[in-house]
Amino acid sequence: ATATATAAPSFFVIETASLDQSPHSVHHFLEQVDANLWDGLGFTTNPGHLLRATPTTAAAESAFARAGLDRLLINESSTSSSQPRGKADDRNSSDDPSPTTTLRHDPYTIAFPTGRSALSPRVPTATVTKSASNEIGFYINTADNNDVHESDPIIGRVVEGRDVIRQMMTVPAVDGSEGGLLPGDGIRIVSAEIVVG
């Protein structure tokens, strides 16, 4: 994904979870990217908790529905994963992008919101009609969110460009509130691409 957090475009790279860990969720996300549904969309923030990419207009949201990619058919929650849930692998939360064997909501992991989390990511209702409570959108954990998001399926993690994510988290919301929309003219997904290799 390419995000504009400064005058010059910046980018971050998401490595998806393996298909044996979250097959439906990963496939769903890649289908959304392939259909260019993320291009041009903005971010909301919950400071110290997460950064969420989401459609912020009815038109953008309806594009997901027209493509049949507006909700997950199967919830592959991190607690239902066949992977062990023991002590967090230190590499998962550090800047070391080495693979891990657990699916945990550690910093820089990416997940779909299901609306069943203890602190489900929310967007101001005046901004978005329904995507605050379903799977339209993904979020990047910026803290250890295992206790509040364990029902949400993890689809990957940021392996490159973590500095971009940290920089995005410092930008105040448009209305100055916590959990608000980040400036659309400054922080948005310019384009998302699938890179194999």
Side-chain angles (χ1 to χ4, degrees):
T2 303
T4 53
T6 62
S10 301
F11 71 93
F12 57 91
V13 175
I14 298 170
E15 175 185 70
T16 60
S18 68
L19 290 179
D20 64 330
Q21 293 173 314
S22 298
H24 175 64
S25 301
V26 169
H27 177 76
H28 187 79
F29 178 70
L30 293 175
E31 288 289 308
Q32 291 175 333
V33 171
D34 191 52
N36 301 314
L37 294 173
W38 293 113
D39 297 0
L41 299 186
F43 286 90
T44 61
T45 183
N46 185 337
H49 183 62
L50 59 83
L51 183 68
R52 180 169 178 196
T54 186
T56 55
T57 66
E61 189 172 306
S62 67
F64 282 81
R66 283 192 311 275
L69 296 168
D70 57 336
R71 60 187 63 248
L72 291 169
L73 301 176
I74 301 167
N75 180 23
E76 299 165 318
S77 70
S78 56
T79 56
S80 67
S81 168
S82 60
Q83 299 302 314
R85 294 239 344 134
K87 182 177 181 255
D89 187 326
D90 292 336
R91 294 173 298 169
N92 208 24
S93 59
S94 73
D95 282 329
D96 179 1
S98 304
T100 63
T101 58
T102 58
L103 289 178
R104 295 179 43 86
H105 287 272
D106 292 330
Y108 304 106
T109 54
I110 313 291
F112 280 129
T114 61
R116 290 184 293 277
S117 299
L119 294 174
S120 185
R122 298 289 183 218
V123 179
T125 54
T127 308
V128 178
T129 56
K130 68 174 182 174
S131 59
S133 62
N134 67 16
E135 296 84 14
I136 299 179
F138 67 86
Y139 63 88
I140 303 168
N141 288 297
T142 58
D144 179 337
N145 290 322
N146 287 293
D147 292 340
V148 292
H149 288 292
E150 65 181 11
S151 66
D152 293 344
I154 296 172
I155 54 177
R157 65 199 175 99
V158 176
V159 293
E160 188 176 341
R162 291 178 176 187
D163 58 324
V164 174
I165 304 304
R166 287 189 292 268
Q167 185 179 6
M168 291 169 68
M169 287 300 294
T170 66
V171 177
V174 172
D175 62 0
S177 70
E178 290 192 7
L181 185 67
L182 295 182
D185 60 342
I187 299 182
R188 62 186 171 84
I189 298 172
V190 176
S191 66
E193 302 172 8
I194 298 171
V195 178
V196 180

